[in-house]
């Protein structure tokens, strides 16, 4: 029997899963919380999913996923073909993680559920803005100009520290105020599923917050 073919791929084993050489991963990934670090196990394997026990040393590992919020590069140390690495996902979603080293291609992980963290703040979206959970500002777009004495809606979202919608946030009354001393502001209202639209009618021309 000749030597095993060298490894060409990196397999990602998520929390809740077990990797077996020659078979791959078994088990169901454990859901994670946005913004909370967790540990991946990386295994160098050949095309038959057999662990390359000779793969060792420190490797530069790149991580990627469909959400884009956890793309970064780090150093991973391998012993006997396996190594652990910590990652933090900021966007609440169902996603996969792919890792790759300079000499190995990545294989997408099993699907992983990332849940929002605890409700910490309220987000206001003006017309023209769209929520972008997991990003630094939590939104994209530019507020559009509005007209005096014409009603428009803003959306208030209950979010976690990374701007993920928290649908289970308490239904406390939300009070909306603006910088316009003469406008018509909405009555207090509760959130439903972590969100609520409020109608505003500005009375003074200028910049409004």
């Amino acid at each position: 029997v000749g030597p095993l073919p060298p490894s060409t791929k990196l397999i990602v084993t998520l929390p809740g899963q077990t990797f077996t050489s020659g078979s791959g991963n078994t088990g169901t990934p454990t859901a994670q919380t946005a913004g909370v670090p967790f540990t991946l196990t990386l295994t160098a394997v050949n095309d038959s999913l057999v662990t390359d026990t000779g793969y060792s040393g420190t490797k530069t590992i790149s991580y990627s996923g469909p959400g884009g919020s956890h793309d970064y590069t780090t150093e991973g140390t391998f012993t006997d073909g396996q190594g652990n690495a910590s990652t933090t996902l900021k966007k609440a979603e169902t996603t996969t993680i792919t890792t790759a080293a300079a000499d190995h291609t990545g294989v997408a992980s099993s699907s992983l559920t990332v849940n929002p963290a605890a409700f910490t703040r309220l987000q206001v979206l003006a017309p023209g803005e769209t929520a972008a959970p997991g990003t630094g500002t939590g939104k994209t777009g530019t507020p559009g100009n509005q007209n005096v004495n014409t009603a428009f809606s803003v959306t208030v979202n209950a979010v976690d520290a990374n701007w993920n919608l928290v649908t289970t946030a308490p239904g406390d009354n939300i009070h909306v105020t603006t910088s316009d001393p003469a406008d018509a502001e909405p009555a207090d209202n509760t959130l439903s599923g972590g969100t609520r639209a409020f109608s505003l009618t500005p009375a003074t021309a200028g910049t409004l917050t």
Side-chain angles (χ1 to χ4, degrees), residues 101-131:
D103 51 354
H104 284 62
T105 58
V107 178
S109 71
S110 303
S111 293
L112 175 66
T113 298
V114 183
N115 295 317
F119 164 50
T120 61
R121 52 187 169 181
L122 293 171
Q123 176 189 56
V124 178
L125 299 176
E129 293 181 319
T130 302

Side-chain angles (χ1 to χ4, degrees), residues 29-98:
T30 304
Q32 301 299 310
T33 300
V36 178
F38 63 96
T39 299
L40 309 170
T41 298
L42 312 178
T43 307
V45 299
N46 61 24
D47 290 341
S48 298
L49 299 181
V50 174
T51 303
D52 181 357
T53 56
Y55 189 75
S56 62
T58 300
K59 312 294 180 181
T60 299
I61 307 298
S62 61
Y63 297 74
S64 64
S69 59
H70 53 278
D71 296 349
Y72 69 94
T73 300
T74 187
E75 294 290 320
T77 299
F78 287 76
T79 302
D80 296 331
Q82 284 194 315
N84 293 329
S86 177
T87 190
T88 302
L89 307 189
K90 296 181 179 180
K91 185 177 180 181
E93 61 179 349
T94 299
T95 188
T96 59
I97 299 175
T98 302

